[in-house]
Amino acid sequence: MSGLISIVTPVLLHMLVSNTVAALFGQRLDAASCTALAALIVLPFVWAMYRQDRIRAGGDISAQETHAGQSREVKDTGIAGKILFGVFCIAAGAVLNVVWSTVLNAAGIQDVFSNETQEVLLAGSMAVQLVGLCFLVPLAEELIFRVLVYGRMKRYFPVKTAAVLSSLLFALYHGNPIQIIFAFPMALALTAVYEHGQLFVFPVLFHIGSNAAAVVFPYFF
């Protein structure tokens, strides 16, 4: 039971920090600033959890992952391969964001559900959005949901089950219906990127590309 509780511990921590920041600074800071500040505060704690998981695993989890009790060696693609895959992740995240947003808009989802949460987030200053939403938030959320939640789920569930469950948790954590519908397939893509690259920097880059598209795209179209 304690092991299963550890799966949601990072999420509960982030929720606690976010609510505390909103209560203390919500009247003085905009939503994007509060979100960025919460991510900044939680980062050292989730990084410490990540380090503990690596120590507990007995090695560098970027070189070898355990999947449902079975170990699999990860092929080293070299620096050039990693750089190319990183660039691909940024571009793929941006493209998937634009395509999926276009599909949802064409389906008229905003006529059914409110997207006020995202509208409020994107109402802040561009500097805060670029630093907070396009860097701090992706880093914190990927450490929480892909590295910690998904990584811990794989101790108890098959990989595909862990991918779906962690993606569903990620989507539900975003709150409103539009964000849930948008975030679930994005989370599956992020998990696939993490599985393929075996380094958490890759889903972080994918997430950065996706959020950057949401921040920058409206200024041009």
Side-chain angles (χ1 to χ4, degrees):
M1 180 62 71
S2 61
L4 293 176
I5 292 175
S6 72
I7 292 174
V8 296
T9 298
V11 181
L12 295 176
L13 173 63
H14 188 265
M15 185 182 299
L16 175 63
V17 171
S18 297
N19 289 335
T20 302
V21 168
L24 293 176
F25 304 104
Q27 297 298 319
R28 288 175 285 175
L29 299 177
D30 57 41
S33 297
C34 286
T35 301
L37 180 58
L40 181 63
I41 292 172
V42 84
L43 269 170
F45 297 98
V46 294
W47 180 260
M49 293 180 187
Y50 163 65
R51 296 292 300 176
Q52 284 298 116
D53 280 7
R54 286 181 56 149
I55 293 171
R56 191 174 295 113
D60 187 352
I61 62 171
S62 68
Q64 183 173 337
E65 286 281 354
T66 300
H67 299 265
Q70 295 184 343
S71 295
R72 139 172 109 82
E73 294 295 331
V74 178
K75 183 179 179 181
D76 188 358
T77 57
I79 297 298
K82 290 181 173 64
I83 292 174
L84 287 175
F85 188 59
V87 172
F88 165 80
C89 288
I90 296 173
V95 169
L96 184 56
N97 182 300
V98 172
V99 170
W100 189 221
S101 296
T102 302
V103 170
L104 293 180
N105 289 336
I109 192 170
Q110 295 196 30
D111 298 332
V112 180
F113 301 112
S114 170
N115 198 25
E116 183 180 358
T117 300
Q118 179 169 319
E119 292 170 358
V120 170
L121 281 174
L122 298 181
S125 72
M126 177 59 74
V128 171
Q129 291 182 56
L130 290 175
V131 175
L133 303 184
C134 296
F135 179 71
L136 294 176
V137 169
L139 183 56
E141 289 189 352
E142 291 314 304
L143 277 170
I144 292 170
F145 288 97
R146 247 58 62 188
V147 176
L148 294 174
V149 172
Y150 172 63
R152 292 175 178 182
M153 277 187 176
K154 289 193 293 182
R155 301 174 190 168
Y156 306 97
F157 304 103
V159 173
K160 291 182 180 179
T161 302
V164 172
L165 290 177
S166 62
S167 297
L168 181 60
L169 180 60
F170 177 78
L172 292 173
Y173 191 69
H174 279 71
N176 71 12
I178 290 182
Q179 290 300 307
I180 290 172
I181 295 170
F182 179 85
F184 181 68
M186 295 295 291
L188 290 175
L190 286 161
T191 305
V193 164
Y194 183 42
E195 274 296 317
H196 180 80
Q198 293 296 307
L199 291 170
F200 78 83
V201 67
F202 295 129
V204 169
L205 291 174
F206 191 102
H207 203 148
I208 287 173
S210 176
N211 283 15
V215 168
V216 175
F217 190 76
Y219 283 86
F220 295 95
F221 298 93

